[in-house]
Amino acid sequence: MARQILINVAPWETRVALLEDTTLAELHIERRTERGIAGNIYKGKVVRVLPGMQAAFVDIGIEKAAFLHASDLMAPTLPPEVAREGEAADLVEGAPPAPRPEPAPIEQRLQKSQDVLVQVSKEPIGTKGARVTANLSLPGRYLVFMPDTDHVGISRRIEDPAERDRLREIVEGERPAEGGLIVRTAAEGATKRELHDDIRFLTRLWSRIQKSAAAATAPALVHEDLDVVLRVVRDLFTSDVDRLAVDTAEDYQRVLEFVTGLMPRLTSRVHRYDAVTPLFDQYGIETKIARALERRVWLKSGGYLIFEQTESLTTVDVNTGRYVGKSDQEETILRTNLEAARQVVQQLRLRNIGGIIVIDFIDMEKAANRRKVSEALQEALKKDRARSHVVRISELGLVQMTRKRTRESLEQLLTIPCPTCHGSGRERSVETLAYEALRKLQRELTSGDGKGPVSLRVHPEVAGWLTEHEAQSLEALSQMVGRAVEVEAMSTLARGDSEVGRGG
């Protein structure tokens, strides 16, 4: 499978696309006025401790106080998520076997106005503030340095036992006196010198952060993570990426210097894109982004998925659509569900959907088929760098899962709630709007005084429907109130608005 990274830089925003063959697998967007803060380290000040929630709110110098849970206030027994989108805790081996004793309640460990060094683990999303952790982690190219742990872990995505042993031996020999390390997937095949340089870079970075924190007055930013261009190069540009293209000279040079310093073996794969056709147009990315915002996703078989995102969860409904199969019904349903399992994961990655997700597969009678679909889903999730947890498929074909959410979904980033339907996704029918307008007219005429004709001013669509379908109702209302009633189309009115105009 050919993999490419395409970086499009404009004065107002930067967009990075990961292509797997011709499929848009991931899209990262960072706008000039809304740069992300996940990964940043702050010297914060506790503004409130909540014993009942075992949490605290911390002022880190942004609009809303950040949320710090008690579980993020101690050195973990398992490695934390080591980067915003990198290897997750359940993909890392090498944690200490014995769990630590039960920690003291948060109110005994934090007090109001206390300074605390924290790292943003989740961007502010919607009305919620950022989530922070005191378990700091500094991702490098091949390793992640964690100051508050004392062990070495290795990504489970590195499957070769001999390579795992080689990496562990090197890292154990090079590790600093204090702090723990996680070997990232990108370290597979790395030389001892490359790992040594990464450790030296990370320990020096931690030393600078400590000095900055000591000199800063809370709330203050003490370490800012890389921007989206260099962050994606650090986390995504691995040996299985065939080509990385950048469409501006300045950022091409910046990326080239970064790659030369950290991963010189990949320098020849970095290219400057300077054709007349815009980079994303050349590869059809703009069209793929537009499709990623649609509710319906068609499957190659003729079936389709329906995505519904709410504040609390996302539901995915699987339908056979035009696919009727070539054999029995159960086989048709199985084939659709297997294709859907792969496509659902692909869409979760592309749309960056996190939180609780419920997938409603088409009902299958055979337990063996349900197991096949569940296995297909788990296999597809191996490509996803975000941490996820899947509950076994139910007899009704429902799968419940969670996916780590660190930033806004593509829908939240690129769209706003519809001002007409207020985000419900549905509008009132023209009949409903017409009858509401008639009731409004009836209330005003029966409760007030006056004589002479009146006009009911409505949107042209509503006016046309009233004139064509409810002429008798208008005549009956006119006789009821003893006044002539006319319908007037007003293009300046919104679809659901109406006005009553009174004659002389």
Side-chain angles (χ1 to χ4, degrees), residues 313-439:
L313 60 84
T314 297
T315 61
V316 185
D317 188 30
V318 182
N319 300 277
T320 54
R322 299 188 296 258
Y323 184 53
V324 295
K326 297 180 180 179
S327 53
D328 59 29
Q329 182 182 17
E330 183 76 0
E331 183 65 20
T332 300
I333 291 172
L334 174 61
R335 288 182 177 274
T336 303
N337 281 341
L338 288 174
E339 184 185 359
R342 295 185 288 270
Q343 184 62 232
V344 165
V345 175
Q346 183 178 312
Q347 292 295 321
L348 294 179
R349 289 177 64 196
L350 174 56
R351 298 169 186 241
N352 193 39
I353 295 174
I356 301 172
I357 300 160
V358 178
I359 309 170
D360 184 9
F361 287 103
I362 306 168
D363 292 352
M364 295 168 286
E365 294 181 0
K366 298 179 182 179
N369 288 344
R370 292 196 294 269
R371 187 163 54 250
K372 288 178 182 178
V373 173
S374 183
E375 290 171 354
L377 183 65
Q378 294 284 6
E379 184 64 26
L381 284 168
K382 290 181 179 179
K383 292 184 179 180
D384 189 8
R385 296 180 303 127
R387 185 175 63 190
S388 60
H389 174 69
V390 181
V391 177
R392 183 170 57 87
I393 190 168
S394 72
E395 293 183 1
L396 298 177
L398 293 177
V399 169
Q400 300 172 67
M401 64 175 287
T402 59
R403 184 175 185 269
K404 183 68 175 179
R405 174 164 47 195
T406 58
R407 55 191 172 95
E408 290 182 312
S409 70
L410 201 61
E411 181 182 85
Q412 291 170 320
L413 182 64
L414 299 182
T415 68
I416 60 170
C418 169
T420 302
C421 68
H422 305 290
S424 70
R426 298 184 65 84
E427 289 186 303
R428 286 172 295 173
S429 66
V430 65
E431 296 97 322
T432 300
L433 296 175
Y435 296 150
E436 287 178 354
L438 288 174
R439 284 192 292 270

Side-chain angles (χ1 to χ4, degrees), residues 184-223:
R184 305 185 72 178
T185 307
E188 190 167 15
T191 66
K192 180 177 180 179
R193 181 66 185 179
E194 288 172 328
L195 295 172
H196 169 82
D197 289 347
D198 215 30
I199 292 174
R200 185 175 62 174
F201 164 75
L202 291 171
T203 52
R204 287 180 176 177
L205 175 60
W206 173 235
S207 179
R208 290 197 299 270
I209 290 172
Q210 287 178 301
K211 291 177 181 178
S212 297
T217 301
L221 172 65
V222 296
H223 169 69

Side-chain angles (χ1 to χ4, degrees), residues 44-47 56-60 64-68 116 118 132:
K45 187 175 289 291
V46 178
V47 294
F57 285 104
V58 181
D59 180 9
I60 59 174
K64 293 182 179 178
F67 180 82
L68 173 65
V116 59
V118 294
V132 295

